[in-house]
Amino acid sequence: MVVCGDDGLAHRLAAELRGVYREQVTLVVPPSGRRVRQPVVGRARAASAALRDMVNAAVNRTGNSDAAGGTGGTGGSGRELEATEPTEDVLADAGVERATALALVYDDDETNIRAALTARRLNPRLRLVLRLYNRRLGQHIEELLDQSAALASGGGPGSGSGSTTVLSDADTAAPALAATALVGTSKVVETDGLLLRAVERNPPRPGEVADPGLCTLALLSATSNDPAGADGSEDSGENGPQLLPDAAAVEAATGRGTVALEQVSYSGPPLPAGRAGVPAFGELFSRRLRWSLAGLAACVVALAVALMVVTGDHPLHATYVTLLDLFSINEPAHNADIGRQILQLLSGFVGLLLLPVLLAAVLEALGTFRSASTLRKPPRGLGGHVVLLGLGKIGTRVLTRLREMDIPVVCVEADPEARGMATARRLRVPVVLGDVTQEGVLEAAKIHRAHSLLALTSVDTTNLEAVLYARSVRSRLRVVLRLYDDDFATAVYRTLRAAHPRALTRSRSVTHLAAPSFAGAMMGRQILGAIPVERRVLLFAAVEVAGHPQLEGKTVGEAFRAGAWRVLALEVSDGERAEGVAPEGTRESRLVWELPDTYVLRGSDRVVLAATRRGLAELLGRRARQQSPG
């Protein structure tokens, strides 16, 4: 395996491949002076022991199963190369011609595309995994590279040529980050139209029976009610979360919350209508201007009625004459009676008042149309919203996700040229420009009336400072921090819980959420998604049953392994139904959920699994060794 990158995702991915899948990995990173700080996590320490002389730290952590890599050892070996760019010579030195898979996870899309084209030419059978932010471009690049591999191999797509998978760390992490900020909103995994929802449930009260939903995915930490608990870290010991527990463990767990699979569907909520189009007519004019126009209209009606009473004219003719007087285009009534003359003077006076109001209406309407393409300010009465800090790659994807769920959002960004500014204008989301660490910026975002705070900037200390200040304004505010360093996240998590035991605090790492998906794609399986359970990750993957002795020929109940994997659904093609599983009315559905434990998995089946990193590595690793020559 070859991993090329210039940020923390490359280190996380290499650690995942070495420590979990026990693969031999070559890591290509920029020179030391241009390299970002490596993540300090238990899994990275264990997996990088052979390269960084950290054997003692790895041994101290091998007692932790999934949190420490789940291998019980130092994992796979490898080497590290330093190169500014992934040129052809660098890729050849890294052994791309002999490699099984190559991951290009540079922060720049152009760099990844250029290196992918070079690598495909060097090794047509290479399995490529690219990190691209532009989703539309990613689809075209994936088709191009697959076609190139097929032609270079002298056959079609099924001739054994290399595959290409385009992923985005932002798309992988955004659903989990968005869902974490909302009380009562399930954790969401969405990939290719598949939507999985998992919800945290509090411990049942005495006498109550907990509803497991479709199944229980995890048991939360036993120290969840303890301010000094360690469930914010990856190394929580026996009191930490238990992924994929069996029925006996669920029944024996008392006082522990659960994560249950509660609902499944096949498409996310549509984008709310009217967000990016022309503003509604009621929004063209302010409330004060609308009242002014209504008052002038009432004056015109009153003058027309008075003229009709004085002169005895028809209502339409009286209204017409009043409008002529109003705009000063009627002849002077010097030969008329005194009543008509007074009404003409009053109409002229009302006309003088009408002209500035009409001018203000025109200017305000033009300003409203112009502001549809500019940044909006938070409304005065706004409350119960989500304050989002940072409009980079991650913040932009989270913003889009929140607006798809029709959640009110106020963004805070220091850079007026940030990537997500165009998205904020298109979705007409209020944005506060300014450094979040400066006084008054969070107040402008109405933090004192906010529902939750999402601190997603790329600087840990900035996120922490914003959260601490927000908690000083509102002590029970729900906060979600993006923290890169796991040791730092653990210390922050414990301190915030001890200082605010009744407030909800969550810490998330984007690279920690995204690395399993990239590693699974390099092993030949596209991970459907990941659900965070505290600071651990539960993976969802589609797996072919054929070639897996742990699955093939066994019932669903026999194939379940506690703490490793669990079969959730069976995929069936359109018009096909699994005998004894799917009823006749499910022809349009492609996934059959709630499989009976007695259903026997066949080699032709394709199933959706929930798995830990260790469990998925065991499944993929054994099959890879069986299919390898010799």
Side-chain angles (χ1 to χ4, degrees):
M1 302 287 178
V2 180
V3 177
C4 302
D6 58 356
D7 61 3
L9 180 58
H11 294 283
R12 292 264 190 185
L13 178 55
E16 193 87 12
L17 293 171
R18 294 183 186 127
V20 178
Y21 295 92
R22 296 188 177 184
E23 291 290 336
Q24 183 177 359
V25 181
T26 297
L27 177 62
V28 180
V29 293
S32 301
R34 301 179 55 183
R35 191 183 311 172
V36 297
R37 184 166 53 91
Q38 192 174 354
V40 183
V41 291
R43 190 167 58 258
R45 288 173 178 168
S48 304
L51 291 176
R52 305 187 182 282
D53 297 326
M54 299 182 67
V55 177
N56 292 332
V59 171
N60 292 334
R61 296 176 182 267
T62 53
N64 300 311
S65 58
D66 189 56
T71 61
T74 57
S77 61
R79 60 190 180 119
E80 182 174 316
L81 300 178
E82 291 188 353
T84 304
E85 294 183 359
T87 61
E88 182 175 350
D89 293 338
V90 171
L91 293 176
D93 190 20
V96 168
E97 297 92 339
R98 305 178 306 276
T100 302
L102 167 66
L104 297 167
V105 293
Y106 289 94
D107 191 55
D108 180 54
D109 287 2
E110 182 180 351
T111 301
N112 293 326
I113 294 174
R114 188 187 305 114
L117 295 173
T118 303
R120 178 61 76 211
R121 178 167 49 84
L122 294 175
N123 186 354
R125 298 182 180 274
L126 182 68
R127 186 181 300 124
L128 282 174
V129 178
L130 279 74
R131 171 190 184 184
L132 294 182
Y133 180 79
N134 191 327
R135 287 177 286 191
R136 179 176 298 180
L137 176 62
Q139 294 176 357
H140 296 309
I141 292 296
E142 187 172 340
E143 295 174 359
L144 174 64
L145 292 174
D146 284 343
Q147 183 178 2
S148 174
L151 293 176
S153 301
S159 60
S161 58
S163 62
T164 305
T165 303
V166 176
L167 298 175
S168 169
D169 56 337
D171 289 334
T172 303
L177 291 170
T180 306
L182 306 174
V183 175
T185 299
S186 304
K187 298 176 180 179
V188 177
V189 175
E190 183 178 7
T191 302
D192 296 333
L194 174 64
L195 184 65
L196 302 176
R197 297 184 180 180
V199 61
E200 289 188 9
R201 293 178 175 173
N202 295 325
R205 297 178 181 178
E208 293 183 350
V209 179
D211 181 12
L214 293 178
C215 67
T216 300
L217 298 177
L219 295 174
L220 298 178
S221 299
T223 59
S224 58
N225 296 322
D226 182 9
D231 52 302
S233 68
E234 296 182 33
D235 305 319
S236 306
E238 297 180 356
N239 292 327
Q242 296 182 19
L243 304 183
L244 301 177
D246 54 17
V250 174
E251 293 179 0
T254 57
R256 301 181 69 166
T258 61
V259 176
L261 190 65
E262 189 178 58
Q263 178 184 358
V264 291
S265 61
Y266 297 94
S267 61
L271 184 66
R275 294 294 178 188
V278 178
F281 180 78
E283 298 180 2
L284 289 176
F285 310 116
S286 64
R287 183 179 180 183
R288 182 179 299 177
L289 185 57
R290 291 198 299 268
W291 277 108
S292 299
L293 291 173
L296 290 175
C299 291
V300 172
V301 173
L303 289 173
V305 172
L307 182 61
M308 183 182 61
V309 173
V310 171
T311 61
D313 288 346
H314 189 272
L316 293 179
H317 185 266
T319 303
Y320 172 71
V321 172
T322 300
L323 291 177
L324 292 178
D325 293 336
L326 192 71
F327 294 108
S328 299
I329 56 178
N330 197 11
E331 295 182 359
H334 55 273
N335 293 326
D337 55 19
I338 187 64
R340 174 71 181 88
Q341 293 176 351
I342 293 175
L343 288 177
Q344 189 176 55
L345 291 175
L346 291 177
S347 298
F349 178 73
V350 173
L352 293 177
L353 297 178
L354 178 62
L355 290 178
V357 174
L358 291 178
L359 179 61
V362 172
L363 294 177
E364 189 168 296
L366 292 176
T368 301
F369 277 108
R370 185 171 60 253
S371 64
S373 60
T374 58
L375 297 177
R376 300 181 62 193
K377 295 182 179 180
R380 291 183 178 180
L382 182 64
H385 58 287
V386 175
V387 177
L388 175 62
L389 309 183
L391 284 176
K393 293 195 305 181
I394 306 301
T396 303
R397 289 287 192 255
V398 173
L399 171 62
T400 303
R401 183 67 188 176
L402 291 172
R403 294 310 297 130
E404 287 176 352
M405 294 188 291
D406 206 16
I407 303 298
V409 185
V410 174
C411 300
V412 179
E413 176 56 53
D415 182 11
E417 302 297 329
R419 186 190 296 264
M421 285 297 184
T423 302
R425 293 188 184 96
R426 177 175 57 86
L427 299 177
R428 304 192 67 217
V429 174
V431 178
V432 177
L433 286 175
D435 188 352
V436 70
T437 61
Q438 296 178 355
E439 186 176 357
V441 174
L442 284 178
E443 284 83 353
K446 315 294 182 184
I447 193 64
H448 57 287
R449 291 200 298 265
H451 174 274
S452 56
L453 171 66
L454 269 169
L456 302 181
T457 70
S458 58
V459 182
D460 287 3
T461 54
T462 300
N463 294 334
L464 176 59
E465 184 176 353
V467 167
L468 292 177
Y469 181 77
R471 279 282 171 83
S472 67
V473 176
R474 186 176 180 183
S475 60
R476 300 191 63 178
L477 180 70
R478 181 183 182 92
V479 298
V480 180
L481 296 87
R482 176 188 175 186
L483 296 179
Y484 179 72
D485 192 317
D486 187 65
D487 288 346
F488 182 59
T490 302
V492 169
Y493 185 86
R494 291 179 176 178
T495 305
L496 285 176
R497 283 185 52 179
H500 304 278
R502 304 188 64 183
L504 295 174
T505 304
R506 295 291 184 268
S507 63
R508 296 289 182 259
S509 169
V510 173
T511 57
H512 174 71
L513 295 174
S517 297
F518 282 81
M522 293 187 71
M523 296 300 298
R525 292 292 180 272
Q526 170 118 24
I527 305 297
L528 298 179
I531 286 180
V533 181
E534 296 172 7
R535 281 189 71 85
R536 300 188 187 180
V537 175
L538 189 62
L539 306 176
F540 293 86
V543 176
E544 300 284 349
V545 173
H548 294 290
Q550 307 95 325
L551 304 176
E552 189 173 4
K554 295 186 177 181
T555 65
V556 173
E558 293 172 345
F560 169 56
R561 181 177 297 182
W565 61 75
R566 178 170 188 165
V567 177
L568 296 179
L570 174 68
E571 183 175 343
V572 294
S573 59
D574 295 335
E576 175 191 0
R577 67 185 185 94
E579 184 177 356
V581 178
E584 289 289 349
T586 59
R587 286 184 174 270
E588 73 282 356
S589 176
R590 296 205 58 191
L591 290 175
V592 179
W593 300 88
E594 296 185 283
L595 291 172
D597 289 342
T598 56
Y599 176 76
V600 179
L601 299 174
R602 299 169 296 182
S604 59
D605 290 338
R606 190 168 187 261
V607 296
V608 175
L609 292 173
T612 62
R613 290 190 301 271
R614 180 183 62 177
L616 190 62
E618 183 178 349
L619 280 174
L620 301 183
R622 287 187 179 179
R623 186 178 185 185
R625 287 193 292 270
Q626 288 176 356
Q627 293 182 345
S628 62

